[in-house]
Amino acid sequence: MRVNRILLSSSLVVVALVIQVSVLARLHLPGAVPDILLLTVLGLALVYGHVGGALVGFGAGLLADLAPPADHAAGRYALVLCVIGYLAGLVKPESGQVKSATGPMVVVVAAAIGSTLLYAGVGALVGDTAARHVGLGGLLFTAALYDLLLAPFVVPGVMALARRAENDPLAESTSAKAADISSGWLSGGTGLRIGGQRNGLKVKAARARVARAGRIKGVKRL
């Protein structure tokens, strides 16, 4: 991943994790907790593709596994978000622009349900049966509902920031400005370009040869 991708992804993931832990986890809503970290990974994966989505998902999940008050095995949510980021990156628009909101909303619902099922499945493998006591059906419904309601406020903004970092308008404007300055510096004060300067030198040399030939002919006539 390029430097701008790493910086932007790290910043967005850290901000999302702070909001997730300090705000959303304390709302005590029935069922699941709105997962803004998952939505951030989805937004980045829809711009960066499956490889970038998997890397961002793994890093975001690992931070969530290590951040307090996490009470599950480290690496569990990293695996979930890595798989979700990879799958979401596979449906990245070829043009990079989303034509309608239907596609991203379907991705959000599928990711919310898939991440809940995968998280519960991995938990069952390591002996965590908390999902059975809460009710898997209720978790799936509330996870999809909360993430779908929160998605319009998160996913489009994350995608816009990622696309802007990919285009790197600051670097483009800087390079264009440098090109204008250099071309202006080369032609400044003379009104000629490099090609014009070469043509002018050729014309001057031809005129000098003609004048020299005229002087020689004049001397011979005398």
Side-chain angles (χ1 to χ4, degrees), residues 96-154:
Q97 298 289 338
V98 178
K99 297 181 179 180
S100 65
T102 304
M105 293 299 103
V106 173
V107 173
V108 168
V109 174
I113 296 176
S115 62
T116 304
L117 288 174
L118 187 57
Y119 187 82
V122 175
L125 293 177
V126 297
D128 185 2
T129 59
R132 296 180 182 178
H133 302 290
V134 177
L136 186 58
L139 284 177
L140 293 175
F141 176 76
T142 53
L145 178 62
Y146 295 155
D147 290 348
L148 190 60
L149 293 176
L150 191 60
F153 304 99
V154 179

Side-chain angles (χ1 to χ4, degrees), residues 34-59:
D35 199 343
I36 191 175
L37 191 61
L38 172 65
L39 298 178
T40 302
V41 172
L42 291 179
L44 294 173
L46 290 174
V47 177
Y48 294 157
H50 59 284
V51 176
L55 293 175
V56 173
F58 179 80

Side-chain angles (χ1 to χ4, degrees), residues 19 24 29 43 51 57 67 102 108 132 135 142 170 192 212 215-216:
I19 297 175
L24 297 179
L29 297 174
V51 176
T102 304
V108 168
R132 296 180 182 178
T142 53
L170 180 60
L192 298 174
R212 186 182 305 168
R215 288 196 298 268
I216 293 173

Side-chain angles (χ1 to χ4, degrees), residues 1 3 9 11 30 43 53 56 75 78 82 85 108 121 131 158 160 169 183 190 197 211 214 217:
M1 297 180 70
V3 176
S9 301
S11 302
V56 173
C82 180
V108 168
V158 171
S183 61
T190 62
Q197 291 176 354
K217 290 181 179 180

